[in-house]
Amino acid sequence: MSDCRHEWAMCNLRSGYLVVEGCWECGGRSSFFSAEPVPPIDEYREGRHFWMYRGSFQTVKFDLKCHACGTIVNLDDVNGLMLSDCTDHDCQVGALVNQQGADTLVYVALCADSTHAQGKCVSSAGIEALSQYFNKNIEALGRKVLVVPCKLCNSIDKCRGTVIADVGLTDIQ
């Protein structure tokens, strides 16, 4: 990023669904964002994979734009954000949640491939911008938000939390 003290704001806001699919052949999980009025539940074959609908959650997608310098951070690799309730001590996210006080929230940025088989997850630039965005205006209140990529979860399929469904849930007071 630059030397700017970024003043992040949401832009390119889209409401929709985080759709989760599973392959019974390999056990893999995949997710995608759908802006359709009803989440798609089609089953289909892709190579050796047979993808089946596993569930969906209302969510919002957005990018971040700095009002000070005009920089835009594309968050296309973020399919949703989840406020973590994980308490699993063997999970890095659960350990973070357990280490924090009541004034700290842990958000998990969810990428498309929960298995991370291809080594991809949410970009570090995206995590940094989201952290700055969520922490603006709350530090004076003694509050804090930690934003982490989903690759830190032992199993995102078993992780407990609340997927952020609308912009109002991102307002932390």
Side-chain angles (χ1 to χ4, degrees):
M1 300 247 182
S2 69
D3 292 334
C4 178
R5 286 185 55 89
H6 295 295
E7 299 171 19
W8 297 117
M10 288 183 185
C11 66
N12 305 324
L13 190 64
R14 299 149 338 257
S15 295
Y17 294 91
L18 171 65
V19 179
V20 181
E21 298 176 325
C23 173
W24 60 266
E25 179 73 27
C26 71
R29 295 283 182 271
S30 179
S31 66
F32 62 92
F33 176 81
S34 172
E36 295 180 34
V38 176
I41 59 171
D42 300 333
E43 297 177 358
Y44 61 95
R45 181 167 286 287
E46 182 180 63
R48 71 179 189 104
H49 301 288
F50 186 77
W51 296 105
M52 296 175 19
Y53 174 80
R54 302 287 295 181
S56 59
F57 308 90
Q58 283 186 302
T59 192
V60 293
K61 269 184 80 84
F62 55 90
D63 297 320
L64 293 173
K65 181 177 183 175
C66 175
H67 287 303
C69 69
T71 297
I72 294 178
V73 174
N74 180 310
L75 297 173
D76 278 348
D77 57 358
V78 179
N79 279 345
L81 289 167
M82 179 179 69
L83 175 59
S84 180
D85 291 332
C86 184
T87 56
D88 180 357
H89 293 283
D90 295 328
C91 175
Q92 291 181 62
V93 174
L96 274 174
V97 170
N98 291 326
Q99 292 168 4
Q100 305 308 311
D103 291 334
T104 301
L105 302 172
V106 177
Y107 281 8
V108 178
L110 304 170
C111 74
D113 180 7
S114 66
T115 64
H116 300 100
Q118 297 180 5
K120 294 181 182 179
C121 195
V122 177
S123 71
S124 58
I127 295 294
E128 183 179 343
L130 285 165
S131 294
Q132 291 171 1
Y133 172 76
F134 284 116
N135 282 295
K136 74 177 181 184
N137 304 324
I138 65 168
E139 291 173 345
L141 302 172
R143 311 271 329 254
K144 183 178 176 183
V145 172
L146 296 175
V147 180
V148 298
C150 62
K151 68 182 176 185
L152 296 184
C153 293
N154 274 0
S155 172
I156 196 65
D157 298 327
K158 297 177 185 172
C159 198
R160 292 179 35 204
T162 304
V163 175
I164 295 175
D166 62 40
V167 176
L169 292 177
T170 65
D171 296 334
I172 300 166
Q173 307 285 329

